[in-house]
């Protein structure tokens, strides 16, 4: 469809050190690995500012071309966003497919998406990315339609493609709005039942899905690769005080998450932005741990989740024998950090304990005893509290184990209760 060189499995990586907006070379190598390509050569350099035509200077451009030829590479991956004209100029000069950082991430997302919603979100992001590159992709068709009965102003092929893209983008947005509405209904129902919502967030490949499986007994896909999880997965978790929460596993973050992805995955990221508590999973073994934590917090601000309470989860302590599972607390004794290993399960019991403490501050678990004459109270409890367990004897007396918020304690007036 496009007059562009075909992409392939052998790639040359290009990473420049710039004054602003610095990306990470290791992250680029991990992205390339996750995309399933073979890195045959890495080219690094530095510039004060990108060249407007090629992004790199002429000397570096010749170096890239020589590397492509010497290693028989058929694609060049840039660790930077490229303008459509820069991408086109590079492909003409190098005679190889050129993919910028955003395009590489979109390619990985396209490989990972499994659900109907995930595929729609990826397609939307790809079409938005493509819409800015039609001038470059369709230059050979940028002419008026002609022929007998068709001459005149008409519509260029480029304009036709833009119109078709706009129509498809609108269709996808309408479908995603329906999905978003369904998710909102689910969240609304959980809020009505006052079940706390907890979301796993963090840098991609920090171990979120492994921890999710360990906590819920699920079998969500987890792998040692970037963006192993795209589609949000929700499961209930029972705490030590018999209360319950809904745990959500969400897409991993990276440095400077592309705006196309933030917009396209808005419905997915809302699980984090509307959560009651965020579990910020951190790779303890990473040498860039503090920098990555700052990057994740920046993304949380971008998706309007910066003010939600966090519990930091320092994962992968099995790779550091000197660290033992523990809970770190603040000056008031509240849990702020849990050290554990999702892979081995070490410290996961401490996480359950920390969650119980944090969420118990907003709820009370009580055992209520109702006489047959107090049956009207039972219906009120079902409306304002969560019924964990219920037993009724032959005479109609009921024993209920409930989870209730302090603001609803008035319902229990004149009712015999005991702490659970």
């Amino acid at each position: 469809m496009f007059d562009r060189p075909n992409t392939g499995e052998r790639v040359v990586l290009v990473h420049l050190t710039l004054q602003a907006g610095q990306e990470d070379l290791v992250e680029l190598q991990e992205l390339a690995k996750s995309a399933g390509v073979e890195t045959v050569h890495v080219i690094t350099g530095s510039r004060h500012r990108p060249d407007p035509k090629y992004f790199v200077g002429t000397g570096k451009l010749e170096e890239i071309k020589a590397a492509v030829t010497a290693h028989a590479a058929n694609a060049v991956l840039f660790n930077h966003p490229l303008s459509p004209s820069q991408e086109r100029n590079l492909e003409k000069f190098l005679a190889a497919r050129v993919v910028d950082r955003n395009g590489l991430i979109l390619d990985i997302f396209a490989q990972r998406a499994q659900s109907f919603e995930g595929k729609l979100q990826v397609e939307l992001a790809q079409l938005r990315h493509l819409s800015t590159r039609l001038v470059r992709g369709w230059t050979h068709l940028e002419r008026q339609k002609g022929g007998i009965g068709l001459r005149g102003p008409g519509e260029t092929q480029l304009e036709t493609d833009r119109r078709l893209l706009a129509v498809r983008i609108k269709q996808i947005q309408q479908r995603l709005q329906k999905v978003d509405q369904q998710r909102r209904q689910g969240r609304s129902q959980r809020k009505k039942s006052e079940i706390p919502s907890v979301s796993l967030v963090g840098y991609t490949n920090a171990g979120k899905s492994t921890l999710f499986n360990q906590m819920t007994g699920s079998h969500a896909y987890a792998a040692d690769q970037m963006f192993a999880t795209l589609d949000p997965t929700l499961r209930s978790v029972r705490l030590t005080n018999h209360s319950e929460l809904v745990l959500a596993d969400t897409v991993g973050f990276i440095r400077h998450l592309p705006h196309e992805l933030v917009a396209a995955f808005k419905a997915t990221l809302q699980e984090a932005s509307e959560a009651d508590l965020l579990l910020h999973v951190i790779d303890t073994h990473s040498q860039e741990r503090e920098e990555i934590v700052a990057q994740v917090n920046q993304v949380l601000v971008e998706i309007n989740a910066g003010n939600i309470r966090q519990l930091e989860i320092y994962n992968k302590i099995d790779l550091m024998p000197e660290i033992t599972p523990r809970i770190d607390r603040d000056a008031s004794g509240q849990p702020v950090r849990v050290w554990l290993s999702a892979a081995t399960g070490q410290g996961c019991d401490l996480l359950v304990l920390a969650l119980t403490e944090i969420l118990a501050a907003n709820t009370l678990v009580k055992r209520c005893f109702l006489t047959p004459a107090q049956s009207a109270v039972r219906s009120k409890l079902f409306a304002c509290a969560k019924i964990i367990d219920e037993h009724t004897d032959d005479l109609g007396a009921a024993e209920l184990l409930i989870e209730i918020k302090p603001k609803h304690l008035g319902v229990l007036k004149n009712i015999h209760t005991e702490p659970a």
Side-chain angles (χ1 to χ4, degrees):
M1 181 181 291
F2 289 88
D3 58 338
R4 300 180 60 182
N6 292 327
T7 187
E9 303 300 322
R10 297 173 61 82
V11 300
V12 171
L13 305 184
V14 179
H15 172 80
L16 297 186
T17 301
L18 302 172
Q19 287 183 329
Q22 182 59 37
E23 308 298 351
D24 183 64
L25 177 57
V26 175
E27 183 178 86
L28 174 64
Q29 292 170 324
E30 287 296 323
L31 286 170
K33 178 182 175 183
S34 296
V37 297
E38 177 188 358
T39 300
V40 295
H41 191 67
V42 177
I43 293 177
T44 59
S46 61
R47 282 184 69 86
H48 289 292
R49 63 183 64 86
D51 179 77
K53 185 175 183 180
Y54 291 111
F55 192 86
V56 297
T58 53
K60 190 63 65 176
L61 190 63
E62 292 291 348
E63 183 183 345
I64 297 171
K65 186 174 181 64
V68 169
T69 303
H71 297 278
N74 37 31
V76 179
L77 305 183
F78 276 74
N79 197 21
H80 314 273
L82 300 175
S83 69
S85 60
Q86 287 172 336
E87 215 172 274
R88 182 62 174 171
N89 293 335
L90 285 165
E91 288 186 346
K92 281 184 177 180
F93 187 89
L94 300 174
R97 183 73 181 269
V98 172
V99 180
D100 68 356
R101 184 173 181 273
N102 291 1
L104 175 60
I105 295 169
L106 285 172
D107 182 78
I108 297 171
F109 272 46
Q111 295 180 44
R112 300 281 191 271
Q114 298 294 327
S115 70
F116 173 74
E117 177 191 1
K119 291 176 180 178
L120 281 179
Q121 290 172 325
V122 170
E123 184 180 356
L124 177 60
Q126 287 178 322
L127 291 178
R128 283 174 169 165
H129 186 71
L130 178 62
S131 64
T132 64
R133 282 153 169 75
L134 281 179
V135 174
R136 176 219 357 101
W138 287 95
T139 51
H140 65 299
L141 294 176
E142 205 168 340
R143 58 177 180 268
Q144 302 258 321
K145 293 179 180 178
I148 297 175
L150 295 175
R151 291 187 178 90
E155 184 178 44
T156 65
Q157 181 65 53
L158 179 59
E159 289 167 344
T160 301
D161 297 325
R162 280 178 175 159
R163 177 170 51 79
L164 293 175
L165 267 182
V167 170
R168 179 59 179 161
I169 287 174
K170 185 176 180 180
Q171 290 174 342
I172 295 175
Q173 287 175 328
Q174 289 173 342
R175 291 185 181 181
L176 285 175
Q177 283 176 357
K178 292 182 180 179
V179 174
D180 184 37
Q181 186 177 7
Q182 293 170 349
R183 289 194 177 280
R184 284 183 181 276
Q185 289 174 347
R187 284 192 290 266
S188 176
Q189 190 62 37
R190 293 199 299 270
K191 286 185 180 297
K192 284 182 180 178
S193 61
E194 299 189 338
I195 299 176
S197 176
V198 178
S199 285
L200 291 164
V201 299
Y203 192 77
T204 183
N205 204 27
K208 297 185 300 301
S209 295
T210 303
L211 180 60
F212 179 84
N213 289 337
Q214 188 73 246
M215 295 289 293
T216 63
S218 302
H219 301 283
Y221 180 68
D224 186 18
Q225 58 188 17
M226 305 184 86
F227 303 120
T229 301
L230 279 190
D231 305 310
T233 309
L234 288 80
R235 295 288 187 276
S236 63
V237 176
R238 185 62 62 91
L239 300 178
T240 55
N241 64 350
H242 305 291
S243 62
E244 189 179 12
L245 62 83
V246 172
L247 185 65
D249 187 16
T250 59
V251 63
F253 300 154
I254 57 171
R255 290 175 175 84
H256 308 131
L257 192 65
H259 291 293
E260 300 104 304
L261 297 181
V262 173
F265 282 79
K266 181 180 178 182
T268 302
L269 295 172
Q270 275 183 329
E271 293 295 342
S273 62
E274 297 189 13
D276 298 302
L277 176 69
L278 300 178
L279 300 186
H280 184 170
V281 183
I282 301 164
D283 183 354
T284 310
H285 191 249
S286 173
Q287 296 181 347
E288 301 176 323
R289 186 173 71 193
E290 299 304 321
E291 181 184 348
I292 288 174
V293 168
Q295 290 287 342
V296 170
N297 287 330
Q298 179 60 40
V299 174
L300 288 173
V301 171
E302 292 176 11
I303 65 172
N304 300 319
N307 294 325
I308 299 176
R309 181 175 178 178
Q310 287 187 25
L311 176 63
E312 292 183 341
I313 311 299
Y314 277 76
N315 188 25
K316 303 186 181 181
I317 64 170
D318 54 302
L319 302 178
M320 305 179 72
E322 69 276 12
I323 299 179
T324 57
R326 69 176 189 271
I327 298 177
D328 291 345
R329 301 176 182 274
D330 61 15
S332 62
Q334 283 290 307
V336 293
R337 191 176 299 109
V338 180
W339 300 76
L340 55 75
S341 169
T344 65
Q346 293 176 277
C348 287
D349 56 332
L350 297 179
L351 174 56
V352 173
L353 178 62
L355 287 171
T356 303
E357 287 186 38
I358 292 172
L359 298 176
N362 299 321
T363 59
L364 299 171
V365 178
K366 288 185 174 292
R367 195 173 300 277
C368 307
F369 301 90
L370 304 179
T371 66
Q374 296 172 319
S375 58
V377 178
R378 179 179 176 278
S379 62
K380 292 181 181 179
L381 287 175
F382 270 84
C384 69
K386 180 187 173 185
I387 309 301
I388 300 173
D389 195 14
E390 180 182 14
H391 297 287
T392 305
D393 62 21
D394 296 336
L395 299 177
E399 178 184 337
L400 287 79
L401 183 64
I402 68 169
E403 183 179 314
I404 189 169
K405 290 187 177 294
K407 64 181 180 181
H408 297 308
L409 286 177
V411 177
L412 300 179
K413 187 178 180 181
N414 301 324
I415 300 298
H416 176 56
T417 63
E418 295 178 359

